Amino acid sequence: MLMTRTEEAATSAPAPAEHGVVAGLSTLDRYLAVWILAAMAVGLGLGRLIPGLDDALAKVELGGISLPIALGLLIMMYPVLAKVRYDKLDAVTGDRKLMVSSLVINWLIGPAVMFALAWIFLADLPEYRTGLIIVGLARCIAMVIIWNDLACGDREAAAVLVALNSVFQVLAFGLLGWFYLDLLPGRLGLGDGEHLDISMGKIALNVVIFLGVPLLAGFLTRRIGEQKLGRERYETDFLPKIGPWALYGLLFTIVILFALQGKTITSQPLDVVRIALPLLVYFAVMWFGTFLLGKAIGLAYDRTATLAFTAAGNNFELAIAVAIATFGVTSGQALSGVVGPLIEVPVLVALVYVSLAWRRKFASAA
């Protein structure tokens, strides 16, 4: 059962029984996994079959950030962020277990796990290894919003944790890059280190475009909408109308992303497989480990799901931008960043299904 929760827009009460929800889902919602895989295939096919398409799309950028991808993410994130009840955020910030767990998992455990897996699986391929470590340093601030909403996670908690990751991304990305790519390899006798050519200003621009704009739009929509319509009409009349656009934006983003990188991915299939293996292990370890941690420390299902998806997701837009800026568009480091969403998108969609199945266990244990 995969749902966008437009049926839940008017209330924060638990969703109805699964068989009733599935029966009422639209065709888009019911077959979302199929549409996502189709969007990936279309993007890869367009990038492979249309000469110069990737170069043409890549030129539509601002400060090294793809404007088509930024547009897709804005369309995808805006409806979800317009659903957030911003007057309830203090209930999230007061949850110490959630906040501390998120910081530790995202900024201590996540990068360390990716560093270890990169060296275990790609010890003989230094360019791919470096690119994978960069992916691990870029914590998710965008697409996790949609995975969380599909899994019926806590929208307010997702907004807070994503904002928290954004602040730490600006402050910590460069420092962690120096630690894992320069200092630590040398101290462990693993060879010469790497240096990332990325400024805090560029990271901040990435955060503003991929999170700040849709967050501000969602906040203003909620504020103005409630003032004019009242909360009940805003949630029962307005939100269901914009809800489907989150999925349209997701599919558009996937098509553009894979069209940009289709030729690169399809021309090096064996290398893609080598990079994909540690990524699969990473997503499994981070998501299942975090989900079990949330349950163990007594978090409710919705916040446990939010914690797990924010831990497992990565900011592939930033990772790709950093790899290309530092090592070049044809580098192995850039290829690792490109493979990230190729694996992350279908895996996290599958984990949405797993999360929803476990939701019933939470409910029965309550």
Side-chain angles (χ1 to χ4, degrees):
M1 186 270 296
L2 196 60
M3 51 186 285
T4 60
R5 300 204 306 183
T6 53
E7 301 88 348
E8 296 179 80
T11 177
S12 58
E18 287 195 27
H19 67 276
V21 173
V22 173
L25 288 179
S26 68
T27 301
L28 180 65
D29 293 342
R30 191 188 299 261
Y31 299 106
L32 179 61
V34 175
W35 307 141
I36 287 176
L37 292 176
M40 293 172 64
V42 168
L44 288 172
L46 290 174
R48 183 72 181 181
L49 298 176
I50 300 179
L53 178 62
D54 52 348
D55 291 333
L57 289 173
K59 290 178 181 178
V60 187
E61 56 91 24
L62 174 66
I65 294 174
S66 169
L67 293 183
I69 291 179
L71 175 63
L73 289 175
L74 172 61
I75 296 171
M76 178 189 77
M77 295 171 65
Y78 164 68
V80 181
L81 291 171
K83 294 176 183 179
V84 172
R85 292 180 173 178
Y86 292 92
D87 57 341
K88 304 293 185 183
L89 295 186
D90 57 343
V92 178
T93 56
D95 189 339
R96 282 190 172 185
K97 289 188 291 187
L98 177 69
M99 301 292 285
V100 172
S101 297
S102 179
L103 285 175
V104 170
I105 292 167
N106 274 286
W107 297 102
L108 294 180
I109 296 176
V113 169
M114 189 69 91
F115 176 84
L117 291 173
W119 275 97
I120 291 170
F121 284 89
L122 300 171
D124 59 325
L125 297 170
E127 289 189 0
Y128 297 157
R129 184 180 66 234
T130 295
L132 210 61
I133 293 171
I134 293 173
V135 171
L137 300 179
R139 311 313 299 168
C140 196
I141 65 168
M143 202 168 280
V144 69
I145 294 287
I146 199 76
W147 308 137
N148 177 75
D149 208 53
L150 288 169
C152 299
D154 186 320
R155 290 187 185 121
E156 287 70 37
V160 170
L161 296 187
V162 163
L164 190 65
N165 273 346
S166 302
V167 173
F168 271 79
Q169 196 140 261
V170 174
L171 299 176
F173 185 89
L175 178 62
L176 289 174
W178 166 77
F179 178 77
Y180 282 107
L181 294 173
D182 192 356
L183 177 66
L184 194 57
R187 292 295 179 90
L188 296 178
L190 299 174
D192 296 332
E194 301 274 7
H195 177 71
L196 291 184
D197 183 19
I198 185 72
S199 68
M200 290 180 64
K202 190 165 186 176
I203 298 172
L205 177 63
N206 181 280
V207 168
V208 168
I209 290 178
F210 290 128
L211 175 64
V213 172
L215 183 61
L216 179 61
F219 172 78
L220 291 177
T221 299
R222 162 71 74 167
R223 187 178 182 88
I224 296 171
E226 287 192 355
Q227 287 176 349
K228 291 187 174 182
L229 302 174
R231 171 162 290 188
E232 183 176 353
R233 283 190 59 201
Y234 174 81
E235 294 187 339
T236 57
D237 296 343
F238 177 73
L239 289 183
K241 294 178 181 178
I242 66 171
W245 283 94
L247 301 184
Y248 301 150
L250 172 64
L251 297 177
F252 174 82
T253 302
I254 291 171
V255 170
I256 295 297
L257 179 67
F258 286 95
L260 276 165
Q261 307 297 342
K263 186 176 181 180
T264 302
I265 292 172
T266 56
S267 63
Q268 303 180 62
L270 294 180
D271 290 346
V272 168
V273 172
R274 286 290 305 271
I275 298 168
L277 289 175
L279 282 169
L280 286 170
V281 176
Y282 172 83
F283 293 132
V285 168
M286 293 300 295
W287 192 89
F288 283 102
T290 304
F291 201 100
L292 293 174
L293 172 65
K295 187 172 177 61
I297 63 177
L299 294 179
Y301 165 80
D302 55 354
R303 291 193 176 177
T304 296
T306 299
L307 187 64
F309 280 102
T310 52
N314 292 89
N315 186 353
F316 52 80
E317 304 92 354
L318 176 61
I320 293 171
V322 170
I324 290 175
T326 304
F327 303 103
V329 69
T330 61
S331 66
Q333 292 89 341
L335 179 61
S336 289
V338 168
V339 174
L342 176 69
I343 306 303
E344 177 176 324
V345 170
V347 168
L348 291 190
V349 168
L351 289 174
V352 167
Y353 284 95
V354 174
S355 186
L356 289 170
W358 284 6
R359 184 188 188 201
R360 300 184 67 182
K361 296 183 179 180
F362 266 81
S364 62

